[in-house]
Amino acid sequence: MRPTPPPRTYRVKSFGCQMNVYDGERMAELLGEQGIMPAPEGEEADLVVLNTCHIREKAAEKVYSDIGRLRREDGTSPLIAVAGCVAQAEGEEIMKRAPAVSMVVGPQAYHRLPGMIAEAVEGRRAVDVDMPAETKFDVLPARRKVGPNAFLTVQEGCDKFCTYCVVPYTRGAEVSRLFKDLVEEAKKLVDAGAREITLLGQNVNAWRDSDGRGLEKLVEVLATIPGLARIRYTTSHPNDMTDGLIAAHRDIPQLMPFLHLPVQAGNDRVLKAMNRSHTAESYLRVLDQVRAARPDIALSGDFIVGFPGETDAEFEDTLQLVEQVGYAQCFSFKYSPRPGTPAATMDGQVPAAVMDERLQRLQAALNASQLAFNQASLGKRCSVLVERKGKHPGQWLGKSPWLQSVHFTGEAAIGDLVEVELVEAGPNSLSARLA
């Protein structure tokens, strides 16, 4: 690589989970501290950060396609940094396959991005996929102005080792951030304009501080921050839903009546092959306890269809579980092998056509369940946190306590909590009028 002028503008493109969105925001703040500004809309950036996700099928190949699309008409490219989980998994391979890439940085090392940019400006390519002993959060800059809702990563990594998942290899072992640091960051987010904070973690309900306090205690303290109206958390594991956290849904008004609790499948043999460490029965038992504590709670989950060896009868168990639960919303995916994971080499890989058919049936059931939940909400009065303007004059968009998208017309401003009556339901959103 030849020396290049220091970048003056940047663009961060984040893919995948909400934790990647958080990491993307933090990288943007880090670049801002270096005097590098966001590229104006419609203009090319001097530096592009591809903040990648390894969950979706053929994730690495899609990254190389994204890199190719950054090539300009005159044959040049911006400085390109590949960050996130694909960077962690691929490492030096990205440098070999994509000469246009200047930097490859893993999700635990992106606080070192300024030094890597300095190397790239001098014409040196840099790879950093270490999982350093020092925490990146200690050296990241203060939070900048945010919108009405903000993400706060409280826990990273996972010790569960589900056989289909790369997270333990790309994000490392479970690590919980310090209680005092999280409270301080939450206060800064509220000072910057946040009315709602979503606590993030690969296994967020496994968060523990050094005194053994669990996530419910953190939620309890955050709920005392003046101006913080709403708290959410995602993503959770069924085995870490403690009695204390369940009780928090009953006792803490700021904790919204919404729970994302992935089950992945409804058949116990498949769950065991996935190394999920819970059964369909134990999962349903947890949901019963949550509903007893907060009867109006909206439930969400994740499903994988076509896991190696899954039979038609075992898939029917998943459909039956969906019918039993009555989800408010869900994510569903076809199984796709991840290199290095145990499931990738299992016998009984399910044909693509079979997975397609199962996914269509599952999504039809989930969509019907979501529509039924929305229709059951009609006539309710609730608060909506206004997030942005709608497409039509005077229209606003926001979220209900149950994380439904709601649009209404009337006097409001971004960041307001507005009381509305829900009057019309579709599969993906609701209409409301001011109460």
Side-chain angles (χ1 to χ4, degrees):
M1 286 181 60
R2 295 178 179 178
T4 185
R8 293 175 297 175
T9 61
Y10 73 84
R11 182 164 287 115
V12 178
K13 297 183 178 181
S14 291
F15 306 88
C17 69
Q18 290 164 313
M19 290 192 70
N20 257 26
V21 174
Y22 174 89
D23 287 345
E25 291 173 353
R26 300 300 269 142
M27 281 188 271
E29 291 164 355
L30 193 62
L31 296 172
E33 287 283 304
Q34 307 302 309
I36 310 173
M37 296 293 103
E41 192 67 33
E43 293 187 17
E44 292 184 338
D46 300 328
L47 167 68
V48 175
V49 180
L50 299 174
N51 187 26
T52 62
C53 174
H54 212 305
I55 296 300
R56 300 302 177 95
E57 187 176 7
K58 299 180 181 177
E61 296 306 314
K62 291 178 181 177
V63 171
Y64 294 116
S65 296
D66 290 333
I67 294 168
R69 283 193 287 270
L70 292 174
R71 190 174 181 85
R72 299 168 178 146
E73 290 185 4
D74 63 3
T76 64
S77 297
L79 283 176
I80 301 172
V82 178
C85 289
V86 173
Q88 186 71 36
E90 296 284 302
E92 291 280 359
E93 183 65 20
I94 294 174
M95 290 299 201
K96 294 176 184 176
R97 290 187 56 181
V101 173
S102 304
M103 294 153 275
V104 176
V105 59
Q108 304 303 342
Y110 65 73
H111 57 292
R112 297 175 176 175
L113 197 53
M116 300 176 75
I117 293 171
E119 289 189 52
V121 166
E122 294 298 321
R124 298 188 299 275
R125 306 172 82 197
V127 176
D128 192 338
V129 290
D130 288 344
M131 295 190 180
E134 82 271 12
T135 171
K136 64 189 176 190
F137 299 103
D138 291 340
V139 294
L140 290 172
R143 302 307 305 269
R144 299 195 313 210
K145 182 175 175 59
V146 299
N149 36 31
F151 294 133
L152 173 54
T153 290
V154 304
Q155 179 271 346
E156 288 192 297
C158 186
D159 295 341
K160 297 293 189 285
F161 287 92
C162 298
T163 56
Y164 53 81
C165 186
V166 297
V167 165
Y169 312 102
T170 59
R171 291 272 183 170
E174 287 180 4
V175 177
S176 294
R177 294 182 61 193
L178 295 177
F179 190 99
K180 64 178 181 63
D181 292 348
L182 295 171
V183 175
E184 181 180 348
E185 186 171 340
K187 288 178 178 177
K188 290 178 179 177
L189 288 169
V190 174
D191 289 343
R195 303 294 308 279
E196 174 182 293
I197 291 178
T198 300
L199 309 179
L200 301 179
Q202 263 85 32
N203 192 19
V204 67
N205 58 343
W207 180 88
R208 296 288 183 276
D209 78 346
S210 56
D211 294 331
R213 291 177 290 189
L215 191 66
E216 67 276 6
K217 186 61 180 178
L218 178 62
V219 170
E220 179 185 327
V221 172
L222 296 186
T224 66
I225 298 175
L228 181 57
R230 293 178 164 193
I231 301 170
R232 303 183 189 273
Y233 61 92
T234 193
T235 288
S236 302
H237 194 284
N239 284 17
D240 292 308
M241 283 301 298
T242 64
D243 291 342
L245 185 54
I246 292 171
H249 281 279
R250 178 193 64 214
D251 299 335
I252 303 175
Q254 291 88 342
L255 184 56
M256 291 294 95
F258 183 89
L259 175 63
H260 182 68
L261 194 65
V263 61
Q264 304 299 1
N267 176 268
D268 288 349
R269 189 205 65 79
V270 174
L271 289 170
K272 185 175 182 180
M274 290 178 167
N275 197 33
R276 283 296 289 170
S277 69
H278 60 82
T279 64
E281 181 182 356
S282 68
Y283 176 81
L284 292 170
R285 190 161 55 245
V286 169
L287 297 189
D288 286 343
Q289 292 172 322
V290 173
R291 279 183 161 139
R294 186 70 195 252
D296 69 333
I297 199 156
L299 297 171
S300 172
D302 293 347
F303 288 91
I304 295 172
V305 303
F307 188 80
E310 183 187 63
T311 66
D312 289 340
E314 289 168 341
F315 173 68
E316 292 295 332
D317 289 341
T318 294
L319 293 178
Q320 184 177 345
L321 184 141
V322 167
E323 185 176 354
Q324 284 182 264
V325 172
Y327 288 101
Q329 52 182 262
C330 263
F331 301 97
S332 54
F333 312 93
K334 293 182 291 185
Y335 168 76
S336 60
R338 295 289 173 266
T341 59
T345 57
M346 286 182 177
D347 294 332
Q349 299 288 324
V350 176
V354 174
M355 286 198 285
D356 287 340
E357 188 271 340
R358 289 178 186 172
L359 184 62
Q360 289 177 22
R361 290 177 62 198
L362 175 61
Q363 290 182 339
L366 293 172
N367 289 341
S369 182
Q370 181 169 328
L371 178 59
F373 183 88
N374 287 346
Q375 289 174 332
S377 302
L378 296 182
K380 286 184 179 179
R381 290 192 171 197
C382 68
S383 63
V384 168
L385 178 60
V386 181
E387 297 178 349
R388 64 185 188 275
K389 291 182 177 180
K391 294 180 180 179
H392 307 294
Q395 187 184 61
W396 299 95
L397 298 177
K399 291 291 193 301
S400 77
W402 305 281
L403 205 62
Q404 298 153 306
S405 293
V406 178
H407 55 87
F408 67 93
T409 302
E411 292 294 325
I414 293 173
D416 283 353
L417 277 167
V418 179
E419 291 298 314
V420 303
E421 181 183 355
L422 303 174
V423 296
E424 187 177 343
N428 300 309
S429 66
L430 295 101
S431 300
R433 59 170 170 249
L434 292 175

